[in-house]
Amino acid sequence: MRRLAVVLLVVLAAHPALAQGFLTPEGPVAAAQREHLIRVTMVTMIAVLPVLIGVPLILWRYRRGGRGAYRPGFDFSAPLEIAMWGVPAAIIVLLGTWLWQSTEALDPYEPLGTDPLQVQVIGLNWKWLFLYPDQGIASIGTLAIPAGRPVRLQLTTDTVMQSFMVPALAGQIYAMPGMVSDLNLMASRVGTLTGANTQFNGTGFAGQQVDVQVMTPDDWTAWVQGGTTAPSLDAARYARLGVAGTTAQALQALSLPDSRMHLTAPGLFASVVARYHDGAPLADRDQPGAPGFQPESTP
Amino acid sequence: MTANLHPGLNLGESHGAAHPASENRVFGFWVFLMSDLITFGILFATYAASGTPMGLAGGPGPAQLFDLTSVALQTAFLLASSLTCGMASLSMKAHAGAGRIALWLLVTALLGGGFLMLELSDFASMLAQGAGPARSGWLSGFFALVGLHGLHITAGLLWIGVLLGLLAVQGLSDRVKTRLLLFALYWHFLDLVWIGIFSIVFLRGLA
Amino acid sequence: MSGLFGHLDWTVTPFAAAIADPGTNTFVAAGAAGLVVLGAVALLGFLTWFRLWGPLWRDWLTSADHKKIGVMYCVIGIVMLARGVAEGAVMRAHQAMALNGGPLSAEHFAELFSTHGTIMILFVAAPLVIGLINIVVPLQIGARDMAFPVMNQVSLGLTAAGAALLMISLVIGRFETGGWSAYPPYTGRVFSPGEGPDYWIWSVVPAGIGSMLSGINFAVTIYKCRAPGMTYMRMPLFTWTALCAAIMLVYAMPPVTVSSLMLALDRYAGFHFFTNDLGGNMMNYANIFWMFGHPEVYILVLPAYGVWSEVSATFSAKTLYGYPSLVIATMAIAVIAFTVWLHHFFTMGQSASVNIAFGIATMIIAVPTGVKVYDWMATLWRGRIRMTVPMVYLTGFFILFVIGGLTGVILANPTIDYQVHNTLFLVAHFHNVLIPGVLFAMLAGIHYWFPKVFGFRLHETWGKRAAWLWIVGFCVTFLPLYALGLMGMPRRSSSFADPAFVPLQLVAGAGAVIILLALAATLVCYGVSIRQRGTLAVPFGDPWDGRTLEWAMPAPAPEWNFAVIPAVAARDAFWAEKTGGDPYVAPERYEDIELPRPTALGLVICVATTAAGFALTWHIWWLALSGLVGIGLAVMVRAFATQTTRVLPAAEVAVHHGRWLEAVHTARGITRDAEDSPANRGLAAPDTEVTP
Amino acid sequence: MTEIDRDRGRYLIGAGLSALLTILAFAAVALGLSRGVALGIIGVTAVAQVIVQLRCFLHIDFSRQKREDLQLILFSLLLLAIMAGGTLWILANLAQRMM
Ligand code: HEA
Ligand code: HEA
Ligand code: CUA
Ligand SMILES: [Cu+2]
């Protein structure tokens, strides 16, 4: 079984799609998660294999007319009881310890190093908007990051609840309106990865994907530079993004050449979060992503 | 079986067959009340968790809305009604006759009704100040919790009506006795929940 | 806005949509709606043609007999199962073709997984489990009926009302699209203004209340109505698991009732529990929903564990191994199940300490569950095993459930859950525990207890064919989903962009075909068995050489269950009598038996609740009010009823029982060699020593 | 003293104690004691009053026959504590990390 599991993992890993999954990690967090998965699977095998192997053997040996001796009164054995409770308990103690350590170590709120790149993420129906406050740019549906540098994502949504996930880097975290959650990640190699929303939010849900472009620091700087000369993300453009639609539809509606925009209002993220806390009711027409949303009416 | 006769009740051995027969019902009703307790518990937790600046959403809070005097009066009404309800059970145990029981029930209903009127007038004045359940998450929690208790009281009043009808039509039969016992449990339970409400909602809010 | 018909008009039917906008998508919807309508019409026609309205009314709809109520629960479960399986198959077919699209619209797909999930958990698995408990528990503990037979009927009525509303949603309007967990704010008024979430709310709330009442009923029955001598530590394990499940129902149903009603207040009355603005907190919805949702899955699986305990002991002709351990493990699972709900939202952003606490609590459940699995293995060990249909399911359960449990333990690690939450890995996990765990057990349980209720066995060969098809079909359909999840494919996706998903999707699609064959084989099995009921009849009542009390009476079991309430002296009460004395002796004297009178209360409540739910969904206020008032009036009027029981004279019981005893004494028992032959009339002879 | 008198006495004592405890709690607020002290008094009097009413109105005690009820109530309180306490812990933790 252990061999089989390894073989299975290798076969799966050779599969092209796995470039997207965390079994072929592109960063330290996903690598640790994969490590943890393998450890847990292997250790549980101690408790599981006896069942997988034992059941067929017992069924054969003790079948009616089979060789096994019949002991209809056998209903207790102290050593067996001890093993039955003890072995799983011991395994759980071990797994619990690992769970504790790894959960503390991989708290998504903990930065992965000093001076992380700050990216603010706003979930919209059905696209992700990334803001780079320090660089003064924004980008729809594309998250570009430099390889080797820790990244700190701060997430919220300007519509219903969503969950931002990049499997090859760090997995996922929920994003909710009026709230900010964190996800720290880092990519070790250059490449293109896929990210997604995993929390169902309507008909465009399946298409709410993200291109995660991991670049060399130089390429990344150039990419950022290009963004500062792109059309700017003003209030009207932002409001237009709130209309439910895919990334492609949004880019077309704003007639953008590529995903980048110039971020002129550094407080955009904070104001999106604050919108839900100002004590006034929000009419349907002011709720991005809702069927009744009207971009013109948003202040 | 007899050693395990069901409690909570005021029926004694003197009540013969009615006693064991009511056993299952009373126990079942206890279980139901415990389920109801969880319902209230969730609303309590929701209410308590929403008393944050975010939950208040800039709207009025306890200090502006709660009226200590009215709450004290409501508490007095409900406690008194619990006592009169106990007197109804006691009259049953003492074989004091259907009339005496009906009288105590009527008093209980009047006190319960008084409680309800006060509560509704508090609700009305909150609504008049623009502090309805639609104003904030905290107010939603408040109206759901206190309102659910009020609904229970209303159901209790209807129940008294049915009991009075039963007493009139069937007299003090064994079945009616059991129903009276269940009602008494229910009514005392509502008083217990009210202790939670005036302590956690009103007094904590005003302290 | 809301006149006599509220928001209702002809355009809300899928037929209108199919005419306005013909295509695969609208045709599938209209076809499904058409099937429901045709099915209803055919049923009405059938009943009228064969003049079955009278018997249906007298013997079933107004009956308060726990066995009949149990059977009706199972019928609801099986009818809804047909819809649920069909939806599952359609979803798999769609996803197999969903590279950048797929035949169905995204909205239709969303309706499918939402109805499928809601139906399978609340209207298939739960009714089957509750139905089986209803049928079996009073027989196992030596009781005449449930503690509250009429309330039992009301529970059934409420569950049926929820199911009815779900079926209506197929024909009139649309269902909710946010999954069976229906998270707001997506399901709130702003983002889902239509009737969909309302349909969900008003089918879930009555079913939840009905289940809570069932829980009370089962708990009181088991606490208070046991036969003399049936101490706690002599109760059969199925009864133990039923007791624990019942207690869980009492405490786990309020959360879902509350969270659904809070959602309703948000939607109907502008409250702000879960809205985006004015202090709503949608995280609390997830919190409350899973306070129900997690215990619910253990409510379903505990009775399933109970079935395995009965089946493993009976068919290995051996005492159950480790009875005290099994009891302790059952109780442990029931209690710990209330402390783990947060594992459904590890990724919401709470701190590591919270995740650690709930993660470890979750893992601990693996210990008692493991003990149970090992105990069943030890029961088989040194037994004399007959590979009957229930045993085939048990085998499938052993191998597959352990894998599902293992992936559960994997999910319990927040570290890993950050990766596989909301992916197909999770979908694979829960089908892997629900199908081999719960549904295989229900199939095994139905096969096992069917003769007790209907008086004849089910066909073994067809049963085995079906069982193997289920096992194989399950593996082919769901194991590939683990891999897809690890590759990062989110659940609830109506399409995907990565061509690498295609091969495994195709395999899973093929599996769905095998599953449809399995369903067909199951139905054939029932059909064949009904046609051959003469040769399969087991009137003496003990076809499997059973061990517990329910096998000590004729099959079908009489309405009053026991001619005289038995006195219990040992754990495997019937087995003890068979080995130590004569179980078929006439009692010294018979007594009058009090039985519940038929009543229409459950039916009235069912109709009124369905009407109220439908009316609330469509904002038809006068009807909603009438329905609610109707429910209240029905309960009040019932309070005035005095003639609630009828008495069956002792003489009648004596005649019935005596005739059976006489037949038993003139018949010859069979050994287990003849178990699957027409010679098996339900009387077991001591099993001979078999040489290898 | 007959059994009935004893029972009546018990109801009256229960009501009297309840009234007293209620007055204490309300007084703590009405007199404007410091919030901490007031909350302490409210908490203690509430628990005390629940126990008084369980004892005097609902006749729950430690005697053999009532033990089943007591167990049921304690088990319910355990689950209530898990659910309500868990909710408060989870939501407070989330609020602290997200707002
Ligand atoms: C008990 C629960 C149960 C059962 C049995 C099933 C059965 C099936 N499910 Fe299930 N499914 C769920 C519960 C269940 N499901 C839930 C809760 C969801 C989540 C919904 C959401 O997202 O909110 C879901 C979601 C879900 C999806 C959506 C996945 C996604 O999110 O992307 C899909 C897709 O194909 C699917 C497929 C199937 C298939 C093909 C079957 C079946 O066809 C498999 C075969 C059926 C059986 C093996 C049943 C056993 C047979 C019997 C009981 C025999 C009949 C008995 C008699 C006649 C007496 N399911
Ligand atoms: C009958 C149904 C059922 C059962 C029995 C289980 C059993 C378990 N489940 Fe599952 N679960 C569901 C139904 C069920 N689950 C459903 C429906 C969902 C998703 C709902 C949704 O989102 O729509 C879900 C989701 C779910 C999650 C949430 C994941 C997420 O959303 O990201 C988690 C996380 O911890 C989890 C864990 C477990 C565990 C640890 C068990 C354990 O009880 C398993 C214990 C069993 C074993 C471990 C195997 C036997 C043991 C041994 C052979 C020996 C000992 C083993 C060891 C020592 C390891 N389940
Ligand atoms: Cu999510 Cu606060
Ligand atoms: Cu769970």
Side-chain angles (χ1 to χ4, degrees):
Chain A
M1 195 64 200
R2 193 190 174 105
R3 269 247 287 308
L4 197 78
V6 174
V7 169
L8 211 72
L9 274 180
V10 170
V11 171
L12 284 176
H15 205 273
L18 279 178
Q20 307 307 330
F22 74 115
L23 296 187
T24 49
E26 295 287 321
V29 179
Q33 288 164 326
R34 183 180 84 148
E35 198 49 43
H36 196 74
L37 172 68
I38 295 174
R39 273 198 306 186
V40 171
T41 313
M42 289 304 156
V43 170
T44 24
M45 283 304 146
I46 302 172
V48 166
L49 282 185
V51 180
L52 297 183
I53 299 169
V55 166
L57 288 182
I58 293 176
L59 286 177
W60 181 252
R61 183 169 170 86
Y62 293 101
R63 72 187 188 280
R64 193 164 190 282
R67 264 174 212 294
Y70 180 47
R71 295 273 174 286
F74 173 69
D75 68 352
F76 184 81
S77 144
L80 255 185
E81 289 290 309
I82 292 171
M84 283 174 177
W85 285 94
V87 173
I91 294 175
I92 293 305
V93 169
L94 178 65
L95 291 182
T97 318
W98 283 346
L99 182 151
W100 190 318
Q101 289 165 348
S102 73
T103 306
E104 295 247 298
L106 295 178
D107 183 349
Y109 279 44
E110 288 303 318
L112 295 172
T114 49
D115 184 31
L117 170 68
Q118 301 279 347
V119 183
Q120 297 166 333
V121 186
I122 301 178
L124 293 159
N125 276 359
W126 298 291
K127 60 216 156 252
W128 293 100
L129 175 66
F130 301 94
L131 311 177
Y132 297 72
D134 299 336
Q135 284 71 26
I137 65 161
S139 145
I140 312 171
T142 299
L143 170 65
I145 53 173
R149 179 171 171 194
V151 180
R152 174 176 184 229
L153 304 178
Q154 285 197 290
L155 306 97
T156 190
T157 79
D158 203 357
T159 177
V160 299
M161 188 184 213
Q162 306 191 353
S163 183
F164 178 79
M165 158 145 119
V166 188
L169 295 182
Q172 65 194 305
I173 193 94
Y174 284 1
M176 289 163 285
M179 300 173 229
V180 183
S181 43
D182 283 19
L183 183 65
N184 283 277
L185 47 81
M186 184 158 91
S188 9
R189 272 189 298 276
V190 171
T192 302
L193 309 170
T194 307
N197 168 25
T198 69
Q199 182 65 43
F200 187 80
N201 61 344
T203 47
F205 164 73
Q208 189 174 353
Q209 297 202 325
V210 179
D211 256 344
V212 183
Q213 302 194 352
V214 187
M215 306 174 169
T216 62
D218 290 343
D219 287 352
W220 183 74
T221 317
W223 184 85
V224 167
Q225 278 304 317
T228 50
T229 57
S232 70
L233 177 59
D234 53 22
R237 280 218 173 80
Y238 179 74
R240 181 62 192 69
L241 282 178
V243 176
T246 58
T247 304
Q249 285 166 342
L251 292 178
Q252 200 182 14
L254 297 183
S255 41
L256 291 174
D258 68 12
S259 66
R260 281 168 294 178
M261 279 179 287
H262 182 47
L263 177 64
T264 44
L268 178 61
F269 185 81
S271 70
V272 166
V273 175
R275 242 164 71 70
Y276 294 100
H277 296 302
D278 65 3
L282 290 176
D284 290 17
R285 62 171 188 281
D286 295 330
Q287 303 230 27
F293 177 63
Q294 290 168 6
E296 311 79 42
S297 83
T298 321
Chain B
M1 276 296 268
T2 23
N4 207 10
L5 276 185
H6 212 281
L9 25 155
N10 304 304
L11 280 189
E13 300 302 332
S14 56
H15 286 258
H19 197 176
S22 65
E23 166 134 342
N24 289 354
R25 283 173 162 267
V26 176
F27 186 65
F29 198 71
W30 262 112
V31 180
F32 164 75
L33 290 181
M34 293 300 105
S35 180
D36 218 25
L37 179 69
I38 301 291
T39 304
F40 277 109
I42 293 166
L43 287 175
F44 269 115
T46 299
Y47 171 81
S50 67
T52 59
M54 179 184 149
L56 286 163
Q64 292 96 308
L65 296 174
F66 295 162
D67 173 2
L68 196 61
T69 323
S70 166
V71 178
L73 264 174
Q74 288 168 45
T75 308
F77 270 108
L78 211 57
L79 183 58
S81 79
S82 224
L83 182 64
T84 57
C85 171
M87 291 302 129
S89 325
L90 207 60
S91 326
M92 174 164 72
K93 185 171 182 178
H95 303 281
R100 183 70 104 31
I101 298 172
L103 202 66
W104 280 120
L105 282 179
L106 216 57
V107 177
T108 307
L110 284 177
L111 290 167
F115 167 88
L116 210 57
M117 298 306 291
L118 282 172
E119 179 163 82
L120 286 176
S121 91
D122 278 2
F123 282 3
S125 83
M126 284 173 77
L127 284 171
Q129 296 173 56
R135 176 60 191 86
S136 69
W138 175 75
L139 278 164
S140 301
F142 170 85
F143 276 98
L145 172 58
V146 183
L148 183 68
H149 180 266
L151 273 178
H152 274 73
I153 294 282
T154 314
L157 295 183
L158 285 175
W159 194 348
I160 293 184
V162 172
L163 285 176
L164 291 176
L166 279 172
L167 279 174
V169 178
Q170 299 176 3
L172 206 52
S173 70
D174 287 352
R175 298 175 52 82
V176 176
K177 280 184 190 164
T178 312
R179 281 168 200 280
L180 274 166
L181 287 177
L182 300 188
F183 171 76
L185 280 184
Y186 178 78
W187 199 257
H188 292 315
F189 170 77
L190 289 185
D191 203 19
L192 284 178
V193 174
W194 183 253
I195 299 174
I197 292 183
F198 79 67
S199 305
I200 294 177
V201 176
F202 293 108
L203 294 183
R204 180 167 151 274
L206 291 173
Chain C
M1 256 319 254
S2 49
L4 194 56
F5 294 109
H7 293 173
L8 207 56
D9 63 46
W10 148 255
T11 54
V12 299
T13 64
F15 308 116
I19 293 167
D21 169 29
T24 327
N25 194 44
T26 47
F27 284 160
V28 170
L35 273 181
V36 171
V37 175
L38 279 181
V41 171
L43 185 66
L44 296 186
F46 177 82
L47 290 172
T48 312
W49 184 257
F50 289 99
R51 297 169 188 277
L52 292 175
W53 284 106
L56 182 70
W57 172 265
R58 257 194 325 276
D59 297 341
W60 293 92
L61 298 182
T62 58
S63 167
D65 178 353
H66 68 97
K67 299 177 287 301
K68 295 210 164 135
I69 290 179
V71 170
M72 286 188 276
Y73 264 114
C74 291
V75 169
I76 294 180
I78 290 168
V79 169
M80 298 308 276
L81 179 94
R83 176 167 168 200
V85 170
E87 287 174 332
V90 169
M91 280 191 284
R92 290 265 52 94
H94 169 87
Q95 268 198 352
M97 299 180 259
L99 181 62
N100 299 315
L104 303 178
S105 73
E107 173 164 18
H108 194 164
F109 185 79
E111 264 186 80
L112 281 174
F113 66 69
S114 304
T115 44
H116 168 83
T118 310
I119 286 177
M120 284 298 202
I121 300 273
L122 290 167
F123 297 103
V124 174
L128 287 176
V129 165
I130 291 180
L132 209 58
I133 293 179
N134 249 312
I135 293 172
V136 175
V137 162
L139 300 179
Q140 279 197 333
I141 61 174
R144 293 223 188 281
D145 205 320
M146 284 291 165
F148 311 114
V150 176
M151 187 168 92
N152 203 12
Q153 217 196 29
V154 172
S155 304
L156 172 70
L158 290 170
T159 305
L165 206 59
L166 252 163
M167 290 317 262
I168 292 174
S169 79
L170 207 50
V171 184
I172 302 174
R174 284 154 190 264
F175 198 72
E176 179 255 345
T177 53
W180 79 287
S181 45
Y183 275 19
Y186 177 70
T187 51
R189 187 192 49 75
V190 174
F191 294 94
S192 298
E195 66 280 3
D198 302 327
Y199 264 129
W200 182 85
I201 291 169
W202 304 123
S203 30
V204 167
V205 168
I209 296 174
S211 302
M212 187 266 289
L213 295 178
S214 291
I216 296 177
N217 215 339
F218 298 158
V220 176
T221 306
I222 300 174
Y223 272 124
K224 301 278 181 184
C225 306
R226 280 168 287 130
M230 177 65 82
T231 57
Y232 286 118
M233 289 312 270
R234 283 180 188 160
M235 290 194 319
L237 251 142
F238 182 77
T239 298
W240 259 112
T241 56
L243 175 61
C244 289
I247 296 173
M248 293 181 74
L249 279 169
V250 170
Y251 296 97
M253 291 335 254
V256 75
T257 308
V258 172
S259 65
S260 313
L261 289 178
M262 284 159 87
L263 182 59
L265 286 172
D266 274 8
R267 291 180 58 84
Y268 286 82
F271 280 47
H272 289 281
F273 285 115
F274 313 124
T275 57
N276 283 354
D277 56 338
L278 288 183
N281 185 350
M282 68 280 305
M283 298 182 291
N284 193 25
Y285 180 90
N287 173 57
I288 305 176
F289 180 83
W290 290 115
M291 257 187 242
F292 143 80
H294 182 82
E296 168 74 5
V297 298
Y298 288 98
I299 290 169
L300 302 179
V301 89
L302 282 182
Y305 292 160
V307 171
W308 299 133
S309 297
E310 306 292 323
V311 162
S312 59
T314 303
F315 292 109
S316 54
K318 211 177 135 256
T319 325
L320 194 59
Y321 175 89
Y323 180 95
S325 276
L326 282 165
V327 170
I328 293 170
T330 306
M331 293 200 277
I333 294 173
V335 174
I336 304 173
F338 282 97
T339 66
V340 304
W341 74 92
L342 179 129
H343 68 215
H344 293 275
F345 48 97
F346 277 144
T347 57
M348 193 128 87
Q350 60 277 27
S351 62
S353 49
V354 180
N355 277 353
I356 290 168
F358 282 90
I360 290 181
T362 304
M363 277 192 173
I364 291 175
I365 296 194
V367 178
T369 313
V371 169
K372 288 183 149 254
V373 171
Y374 298 141
D375 279 345
W376 297 318
M377 283 173 71
T379 303
L380 300 189
W381 195 47
R382 298 181 171 176
R384 200 189 266 163
I385 300 167
R386 284 120 56 203
M387 264 318 228
T388 52
V389 171
M391 289 300 280
V392 176
Y393 282 113
L394 177 60
T395 310
F397 164 83
F398 268 128
I399 306 293
L400 295 174
F401 181 80
V402 164
I403 298 174
L406 162 69
T407 56
V409 172
I410 289 175
L411 286 165
N413 289 272
T415 308
I416 307 173
D417 190 64
Y418 278 109
Q419 282 288 359
V420 287
H421 174 59
N422 272 354
T423 66
L424 289 185
F425 186 91
L426 170 61
V427 173
H429 157 68
F430 65 70
H431 284 95
N432 201 164
V433 275
L434 279 165
I435 293 175
V438 180
L439 288 177
F440 281 10
M442 291 305 114
L443 285 175
I446 287 172
H447 198 95
Y448 182 61
W449 280 300
F450 188 92
K452 186 45 61 184
V453 179
F454 292 103
F456 57 97
R457 289 178 296 125
L458 289 170
H459 196 274
E460 280 286 319
T461 314
W462 272 106
K464 277 185 196 156
R465 283 181 192 146
W468 285 113
L469 281 171
W470 282 119
I471 294 173
V472 174
F474 170 82
C475 293
V476 181
T477 311
F478 291 101
L479 297 183
L481 301 191
Y482 281 121
L484 285 166
L486 290 174
M487 294 175 182
M489 180 166 172
R491 73 190 287 194
R492 297 176 177 164
S493 301
S494 63
S495 70
F496 53 88
D498 192 337
F501 295 160
V502 171
L504 288 173
Q505 281 287 358
L506 287 175
V507 174
V513 177
I514 305 181
I515 277 179
L516 283 180
L517 289 178
L519 183 66
T522 308
L523 295 180
V524 170
C525 172
Y526 292 111
V528 169
S529 311
I530 291 174
R531 288 194 41 192
Q532 304 184 2
R533 59 186 175 278
T535 40
L536 293 170
V538 286
F540 303 134
D542 179 25
W544 318 119
D545 201 5
R547 315 178 68 82
T548 38
L549 275 185
E550 72 268 33
W551 304 110
M553 66 182 73
E559 191 186 348
W560 51 90
N561 295 351
F562 297 91
V564 288
I565 295 296
V568 177
R571 192 170 284 158
D572 283 335
F574 185 46
W575 184 259
E577 280 183 56
K578 281 196 285 192
T579 46
D582 182 2
Y584 301 105
V585 284
E588 278 156 28
R589 67 191 206 88
Y590 294 90
E591 277 174 9
D592 288 354
I593 296 177
E594 223 180 335
L595 291 169
R597 254 174 210 278
T599 153
L601 182 68
L603 194 63
V604 169
I605 287 191
C606 174
V607 172
T609 308
T610 312
F614 182 78
L616 284 166
T617 303
W618 291 100
H619 298 224
I620 310 170
W621 305 124
W622 64 267
L623 183 59
L625 197 69
S626 322
L628 294 176
V629 169
I631 297 170
L633 278 181
V635 173
M636 286 194 211
V637 169
R638 172 74 193 174
F640 285 86
T642 46
Q643 302 291 307
T644 55
T645 55
R646 70 190 170 89
V647 171
L648 190 78
E652 213 170 298
V653 182
V655 169
H656 187 278
H657 195 62
R659 217 182 282 142
W660 174 67
L661 282 177
E662 203 172 311
V664 167
H665 286 133
T666 53
R668 276 216 10 238
I670 51 130
T671 66
R672 293 303 98 198
D673 290 320
E675 188 167 35
D676 184 25
S677 73
N680 186 353
R681 308 308 281 176
L683 184 62
D687 207 10
T688 45
E689 194 59 59
V690 270
T691 38
Chain D
M1 216 159 79
T2 67
E3 193 189 337
I4 299 295
D5 291 332
R6 251 201 326 275
D7 281 357
R8 184 179 299 116
R10 194 152 68 158
Y11 275 114
L12 291 173
I13 290 172
L17 277 177
S18 295
L20 192 74
L21 290 164
T22 309
I23 291 170
L24 266 177
F26 275 79
V29 174
L31 298 177
L33 299 186
S34 80
R35 189 170 159 84
V37 177
L39 288 184
I41 294 177
I42 294 167
V44 171
T45 52
V47 173
Q49 192 173 169
V50 168
I51 293 172
V52 165
Q53 295 203 1
L54 279 176
R55 178 79 187 75
C56 298
F57 291 173
L58 288 157
H59 315 290
I60 300 297
D61 54 36
F62 295 102
S63 72
R64 225 323 172 9
Q65 335 167 2
K66 318 276 169 84
R67 204 169 288 160
E68 221 163 42
D69 279 356
L70 190 65
Q71 280 163 357
L72 177 70
I73 293 173
L74 290 178
F75 181 68
S76 307
L77 288 180
L78 172 73
L79 288 187
L80 183 69
I82 292 172
M83 291 188 184
T87 298
L88 290 174
W89 185 36
I90 294 167
L91 292 182
N93 186 279
L94 280 162
Q96 178 216 328
R97 298 247 295 184
M98 277 198 267
M99 317 296 171

